[in-house]
């Protein structure tokens, strides 16, 4: 890992290396750096830590704990995040608002990545970085014993840059206004992933849920180009695919079209449970019909 902050003395670099070694690996970031596609499983309903173990057993790279579209609170979020770190699944938290009290507390509470919805301007993107990153990138309040550093007591001069490097900052493009500002948003230092919220974006476009519409395809191309433009001097800005859980064919399409599409929201507890239960109930109805038909003969 390379961290540049103007320091070059051997002792400092050794301190950074030791802190980096203590850091919990970020599976999503590792996949991004390898040019692969990382998949997350969204949690909106199930509050018990068992859901984390199921996600890990299923093979997901990350869990997305969704505070924007659920009634989950920070206490539950922090426990789920802690469980994810323990089993090697990256905990991502989508906060409900672009404010320090949500972003920094989610990160202090064990999240390794934060998603901020409805980012429409450079100023709003800069706010996200300000709240999510320690100085000099941002203004996140310094804390000690961070879970991402396995609770080790690491001096701030080492812990802060290492935590900055290990924490993914994800902003969402969900309106036509944001789409128009995609180049400038992606260029904001500290932004790692620009994630398209396909559901809200199509709604703002006046084509709600029309995911096959060429306008959405064009939107992905525009944001992909913005991410490529911002990926300079060793920096990688990734295109994210969101809101297409029911359409894995489109996730595959956009990831195939754009080599910098390396993160996708690819499942959710509510939809997978409902679909599984529907399939089971359908089998029950067929079974009942066969039994009733056999008894009447």
């Amino acid at each position: 890992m390379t961290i540049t902050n103007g320091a070059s003395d051997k002792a400092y670099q050794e301190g950074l290396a030791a802190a980096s070694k203590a850091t919990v690996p970020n599976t999503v970031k590792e996949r991004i750096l390898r040019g692969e596609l990382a998949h997350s499983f969204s949690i909106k309903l199930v509050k018990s830590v068992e859901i984390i173990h199921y996600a890990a057993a299923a093979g997901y790279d990350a869990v997305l704990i969704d505070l924007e579209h659920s009634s989950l609170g920070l206490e539950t979020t922090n426990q789920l995040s802690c469980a994810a770190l323990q089993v090697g699944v990256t905990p991502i938290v989508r906060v409900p608002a672009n404010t320090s009290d949500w972003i920094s507390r989610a990160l202090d509470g064990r999240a390794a990545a934060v998603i901020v919805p409805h980012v429409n301007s450079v100023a709003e993107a800069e706010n996200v970085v300000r709240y999510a990153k320690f100085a000099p990138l941002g203004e996140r309040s310094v804390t000690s014993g961070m879970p991402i550093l396995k609770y080790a007591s690491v001096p701030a001069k080492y812990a802060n840059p290492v935590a900055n490097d290990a924490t993914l900052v994800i902003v969402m493009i969900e309106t036509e206004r944001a789409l128009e500002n995609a180049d400038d948003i992606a260029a904001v230092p500290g932004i790692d992933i620009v994630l398209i919220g396909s559901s809200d974006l199509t709604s703002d476009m006046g084509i709600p849920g029309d995911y096959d519409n060429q306008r959405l395809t064009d939107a992905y191309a525009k944001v992909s180009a913005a991410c490529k433009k911002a990926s300079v001097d060793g920096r990688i800005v990734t295109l994210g695919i969101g809101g297409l859980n029911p359409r894995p064919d489109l996730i595959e399409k956009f990831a195939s079209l754009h080599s910098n599409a390396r993160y996708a929201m690819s499942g959710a507890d509510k939809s997978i449970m409902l679909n599984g239960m529907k399939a089971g109930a359908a089998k029950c109805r067929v079974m009942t019909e066969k039994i009733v038909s056999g008894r009447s003969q």
Side-chain angles (χ1 to χ4, degrees):
M1 178 180 65
T2 301
I3 300 174
T4 57
N5 64 354
S8 59
D9 65 278
K10 183 179 178 181
Y12 184 77
Q13 295 302 324
E14 289 176 350
L16 286 179
S20 298
K21 189 175 181 180
T23 305
V24 178
N26 188 316
T27 304
V28 173
K29 182 169 183 177
E30 289 177 349
R31 286 204 177 275
I32 288 172
L33 293 176
R34 292 197 298 265
E36 301 171 354
L37 181 64
H39 298 272
S40 68
F41 177 82
S42 296
I43 298 172
K44 303 180 181 182
L45 179 65
V46 182
K47 298 181 179 181
S48 65
V49 295
E50 283 82 3
I51 192 65
I52 303 297
H53 293 271
Y54 273 88
Y60 282 97
D61 303 298
V63 290
L64 193 171
I65 305 160
D66 194 347
L67 301 186
E68 184 189 14
H69 296 297
S70 76
S71 60
L72 297 176
L74 275 174
E75 279 194 24
T76 298
T77 298
N78 295 348
Q79 293 302 306
L80 293 173
S81 296
C82 183
L85 290 178
Q86 294 298 314
V87 298
V89 174
T90 300
I92 303 171
V93 175
R94 175 155 63 177
V95 297
N98 186 358
T99 58
S100 176
D101 58 323
W102 281 110
I103 295 171
S104 63
R105 290 169 75 199
L107 293 172
D108 286 351
R110 302 168 183 87
V114 62
I115 295 178
V116 179
H118 307 293
V119 174
N120 294 305
S121 67
V122 169
E124 292 175 0
E126 290 174 340
N127 277 344
V128 177
V129 176
R130 181 175 297 114
Y131 303 143
K133 297 284 191 179
F134 296 112
L137 275 175
E139 300 174 1
R140 179 180 168 190
S141 181
V142 176
T143 185
S144 61
M146 287 185 282
I148 202 168
L149 292 173
K150 300 178 183 177
Y151 304 98
S153 179
V154 179
K157 65 180 178 179
Y158 306 127
N160 292 356
V162 167
N164 276 352
D165 190 69
T167 300
L168 291 175
V169 174
I170 307 168
V171 296
M172 294 194 72
I173 299 287
E174 301 185 270
T175 64
E176 290 192 277
R177 177 189 169 200
L179 196 58
E180 291 172 1
N181 295 327
D183 280 4
D184 294 331
I185 290 172
V188 172
I191 299 296
D192 296 297
I193 300 175
V194 182
L195 173 65
I196 295 180
S198 301
S199 295
D200 279 340
L201 182 56
T202 54
S203 292
D204 192 66
M205 288 176 165
I207 51 169
D210 186 3
Y211 304 124
D212 296 293
N213 196 292
Q214 184 62 38
R215 291 173 65 191
L216 182 62
T217 298
D218 293 342
Y220 271 91
K222 180 175 176 60
V223 176
S224 174
C227 291
K228 288 179 180 178
K229 184 178 178 181
S231 298
V232 295
D233 298 326
R235 183 184 176 210
I236 297 176
V237 184
T238 299
L239 169 65
I241 302 170
L244 295 176
N245 291 341
R247 296 293 305 273
D249 59 317
L250 289 182
I251 294 176
E252 183 176 354
K253 170 188 171 181
F254 292 132
S256 298
L257 284 174
H258 307 293
S259 61
N260 60 348
R262 300 179 186 177
Y263 167 67
M265 297 164 57
S266 301
D269 55 0
K270 293 172 70 173
S271 58
I272 288 178
M273 288 174 62
L274 180 59
N275 291 337
M277 293 174 74
K278 281 183 175 180
K283 291 179 181 179
C284 290
R285 287 193 293 271
V286 171
M287 183 192 309
T288 298
E289 291 170 1
K290 287 182 179 179
I291 291 172
V292 172
S293 176
R295 287 174 178 173
S296 64
Q297 293 177 2

